[in-house]
Every structure is written in structure tokens, then in C-alpha cells.
Amino acid sequence: MKKKLILRKTHFLFKPKLTKKKHMLTTTNFVGFKLMKTVCFTSKEEDYLKLTILKIFKKLTLIYRPKIFFYFHKIYSHTKLPLEARMGKGKGEITNNFGYYQKGIILFSITKLTLLEAYKFQIYFNKKNILKVKITK
């Protein structure tokens, strides 16, 4: 049974968390990529980022297909009131969802990847200014 994404209105407050759930890899045969900066992605940007990662891996690895695990989660919702709304009319309608990712969180991990290929991937990502990532093993 699939879980249904429930759109609900939340306030745009980020609480600083001392414990991060996704800052270490749990298994040894994965290569993870940590964020170097705090970023905020909308749902369209996350989909575009997934597509670019998959395209890059098709170019870099021709012999085998590694499995890629993404740790994206769109928790927060962006709301907007109409232009002519007065005060006291509520928060408004939900326009899109977004995720807030702090520095040091592993954004995605890959199986069956050598360290040389991982360094190539890191250099390619940092040169194109898509994301600033570093490798964790």
C-alpha cells in the first residue's frame, strides 16, 4: 500500500537540529555524497537534479549500472495569498513543496562505485556549479 503525500500548510520556520539523521553511511559498500552548503530545493529542482545525476552516471559508467539512492524529502510547503486579500484571511493556497537540507547531510549514495569514479563524479559536479559535494566512504 503506497503512502499518499498529504499537502498541509506549515509555517516557514527552520529549527536548528543538533542531531542529523543522515550524516553517516550505515553500510560499507556505498559511496555517499555530502553537501558542502545549506540549500533549499523545490520539487521541480529536485526532479531536475535527479535527472542530471542519472545522465552523468550514464556517461561515466558504461560497463555496469550502479544503484543510486536519493535522500530527498519535501517536508515544507510554500503558500501564497492572492494580491487583493486583506489581513485575517488565513495563510493562502499551497503553491509548491520544498526541502531544506543542511550542510553535512548525505544527499544521495551509490553502490558498486570505485573511488576513482567517485572522484571524477565529484570533480564534474563541483566544476559545473550544480552542487558542492564531497565523498564519504
Side-chain angles (χ1 to χ4, degrees):
M1 187 173 180
K2 290 184 178 180
K3 289 186 179 180
K4 199 173 192 181
L5 180 67
I6 300 171
L7 298 177
R8 58 184 171 190
K9 299 179 182 180
T10 57
H11 292 285
F12 189 73
L13 295 175
F14 298 120
K15 297 176 183 174
K17 295 180 182 178
L18 297 176
T19 59
K20 296 178 185 174
K21 293 179 183 175
K22 203 62 190 162
H23 68 282
M24 283 191 291
L25 286 173
T26 55
T27 57
T28 56
N29 58 354
F30 286 90
V31 175
F33 291 90
K34 277 189 178 184
L35 282 177
M36 297 296 289
K37 286 197 263 184
T38 303
V39 288
C40 213
F41 289 128
T42 62
S43 57
K44 289 181 182 178
E45 290 173 347
E46 286 180 5
D47 293 338
Y48 178 72
L49 186 64
K50 285 181 186 180
L51 286 174
T52 54
I53 290 170
L54 292 173
K55 279 185 180 180
I56 292 167
F57 267 100
K58 280 185 181 178
K59 291 178 185 177
L60 289 181
T61 58
L62 299 173
I63 300 169
Y64 55 89
R65 294 278 177 215
K67 289 187 179 180
I68 303 171
F69 298 98
F70 295 104
Y71 303 111
F72 292 128
H73 54 284
K74 296 169 261 206
I75 295 175
Y76 303 104
S77 59
H78 183 260
T79 59
K80 188 175 180 181
L81 276 173
L83 287 175
E84 297 182 3
R86 294 186 177 194
M87 289 176 58
K89 298 293 181 186
K91 289 185 67 175
E93 295 182 9
I94 296 173
T95 55
N96 59 2
N97 294 332
F98 65 94
Y100 177 74
Y101 305 101
Q102 294 179 345
K103 175 184 174 183
I105 291 177
I106 296 176
L107 202 58
F108 54 95
S109 62
I110 302 155
T111 61
K112 301 178 186 175
L113 191 68
T114 62
L115 281 177
L116 184 64
E117 290 174 339
Y119 283 123
K120 285 181 186 177
F121 185 68
Q122 177 187 2
I123 290 168
Y124 183 81
F125 244 112
N126 291 340
K127 275 188 180 178
K128 294 288 184 177
N129 291 329
I130 300 170
L131 276 178
K132 294 290 182 187
V133 293
K134 73 176 182 180
I135 298 172
T136 60
K137 180 84 174 156

